[in-house]
């Protein structure tokens, strides 16, 4: 193959850049152009190409088929196997998911000449932080193709709004594809007629302000159009109320816990003056580092309906946290249960379940170990080494 045809908008794929980023709406030919350029380059020069996406549970979820189609179209001498593609001059294509970068995945990225991240709108910030410094071979490149989703998505923020050094970033849409199929043209026109707002995202590549399917999406979009979303000042003369949303997620892949900070105004409306969210944060840390660290005068704190239930991620609900804290500070179980509103009939049972350890629990062995530590650390002239205990398997 001496030459290939791709839309002029993608000519930058053959220029030297650390990052080559193509984004836009449906029908622009981004994936097709990248695949065609890569098989052409790998046909002439030995290249190690890693084709990546955030989640890849099977090879069917990769660009394996797209690359295979281009190779077959031009009759190129590649060997196509289920999990890789290679040729006799030393080029190879391998396929990886980024969400679990461990061992072999990281090693394969280190030696890559090109990493092509397809459907990059789904790539998380932790995955980008792992990927970019790992692709470290001299002259290596990272190719990024995606259809924008929401404006605050990590990929859009990282490559469009805050472009890195030595990056080619280009928006390409359907009208720059000379081979745009007629069947898609009718779909495009139908969506323009029936869903103008969705059309701007799907076909013109404009990011959504709010994710598709998000609760209250239409309401928040209306608020934004009305100019009611922006910086809201804090009034030190009025109390701040907090509303909490507690989740059970154990990692950054799930929904975060969140706290909203609300003030009532003199006109009877409410201002949301602040917001916090986080994963894997204990309630004690939230109280100390989020609530008490802010310079607000608080009114009340409102928990969700299940706020008293055990949170499998944070270990304790607010009742759990308070119960254990009081018991550790010497409050007797009866007073602890009364303060927490436990029913009189089973007050002690509930309290003991919430705060299982008495303040004196295992105090004797702890004292003994403390004496041992003091003996070990004391000057040699003033103590004798304790007898070595027998080893038990």
């Amino acid at each position: 193959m001496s030459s290939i045809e791709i839309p002029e908008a993608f000519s930058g794929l053959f220029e030297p850049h650390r990052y080559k980023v193509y984004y836009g709406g449906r029908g622009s030919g981004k994936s097709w152009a990248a695949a065609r350029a890569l098989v052409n380059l790998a046909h002439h020069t030995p290249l190690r190409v890693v084709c990546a996406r955030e989640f890849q549970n099977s090879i069917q979820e990769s660009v394996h088929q797209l690359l295979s189609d281009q190779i077959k179209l031009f009759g190129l001498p590649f060997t196509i196997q289920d999990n890789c593609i290679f040729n006799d001059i030393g080029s190879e294509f391998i396929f990886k998911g980024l969400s679990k970068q461990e061992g072999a995945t990281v090693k394969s990225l280190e030696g890559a000449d090109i990493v092509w991240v397809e459907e990059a709108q789904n790539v998380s910030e932790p995955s980008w932080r792992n990927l970019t410094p790992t692709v470290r071979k001299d002259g290596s490149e990272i190719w990024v193709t995606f259809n924008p989703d929401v404006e605050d998505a990590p990929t859009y923020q990282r490559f469009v709004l805050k472009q890195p050094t030595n990056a080619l970033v280009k928006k390409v849409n359907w009208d720059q594809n000379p081979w745009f199929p007629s069947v898609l043209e009718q779909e495009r026109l139908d969506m323009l007629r029936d869903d103008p707002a969705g059309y701007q995202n799907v076909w013109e590549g404009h990011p959504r302000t709010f994710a598709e399917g998000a609760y209250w999406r239409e309401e928040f979009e209306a608020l934004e159009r009305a100019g009611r979303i922006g910086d809201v000042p804090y009034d030190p003369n009025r109390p701040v109320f907090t509303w909490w949303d507690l989740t059970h997620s154990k990692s950054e892949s799930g929904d975060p816990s969140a706290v909203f900070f609300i003030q009532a105004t003199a006109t009877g409306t409410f201002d949301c003056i602040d917001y916090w969210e986080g994963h894997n944060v204990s309630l004690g840390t939230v109280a100390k580092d989020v609530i008490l660290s802010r310079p607000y005068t608080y009114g009340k704190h409102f928990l969700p309906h299940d706020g008293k239930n055990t949170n499998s991620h944070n270990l304790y609900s607010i009742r759990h946290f308070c119960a254990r804290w009081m018991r550790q500070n010497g409050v007797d179980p009866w007073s602890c249960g009364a303060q927490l509103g436990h029913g009189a009939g089973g007050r002690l049972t509930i309290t003991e379940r919430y705060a299982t350890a008495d303040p004196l629990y295992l105090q004797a062995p702890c004292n003994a170990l403390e004496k041992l530590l003091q003996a070990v650390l004391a000057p040699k002239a003033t103590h004798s080494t304790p007898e070595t205990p027998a080893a038990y398997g």
Side-chain angles (χ1 to χ4, degrees), residues 89-205:
I89 69 169
S91 291
E92 66 173 336
F93 293 84
I94 58 178
F95 307 88
K96 298 291 182 181
L98 297 176
S99 62
K100 295 182 179 179
Q101 288 199 47
E102 303 171 352
T105 301
V106 173
K107 185 176 180 180
S108 67
L109 293 173
E110 289 176 352
D113 296 289
I114 297 173
V115 174
W116 175 23
V117 184
E118 167 64 343
E119 293 191 1
Q121 70 273 10
N122 299 320
V123 177
S124 65
E125 183 60 26
S127 291
W128 282 123
R129 288 198 300 265
N130 288 334
L131 170 65
T132 51
T134 306
V135 184
R136 64 186 68 170
K137 186 175 180 180
D138 287 345
S140 59
E141 298 181 349
I142 298 175
W143 295 21
V144 182
T145 53
F146 70 102
N147 291 18
D149 186 9
V150 292
E151 191 175 60
D152 60 354
T155 300
Y156 194 83
Q157 290 284 326
R158 177 180 282 263
F159 293 109
V160 179
L161 298 184
K162 306 171 185 176
Q163 298 182 11
T165 303
N166 193 17
L168 171 67
V169 181
K170 191 163 186 177
K171 183 178 183 180
V172 184
N173 283 327
W174 62 274
D175 54 353
Q176 294 169 277
N177 181 3
W179 298 288
F180 183 69
S182 57
V183 65
L184 289 185
E185 172 65 6
Q186 189 56 56
E187 290 187 10
R188 183 185 72 84
L189 294 174
D190 288 346
M191 190 169 192
L192 177 62
R193 179 195 64 210
D194 300 332
D195 184 7
Y199 173 87
Q200 292 300 317
N201 173 247
V202 173
W203 291 99
E204 299 298 335

Side-chain angles (χ1 to χ4, degrees), residues 365-386:
C366 288
N367 290 341
L369 290 173
E370 178 65 25
K371 291 180 180 179
L372 173 62
L373 179 62
Q374 292 175 2
V376 171
L377 296 178
K380 290 185 177 180
T382 61
H383 81 281
S384 59
T385 304

Side-chain angles (χ1 to χ4, degrees), residues 229-252:
I229 297 180
D231 293 331
V232 181
Y234 164 57
D235 183 352
N237 297 315
R238 291 181 175 273
V240 174
F241 299 86
T242 63
W243 271 261
W244 297 53
D245 182 14
L246 305 176
T247 69
H248 295 259
S249 70
K250 299 182 180 179
S251 69
E252 294 189 12

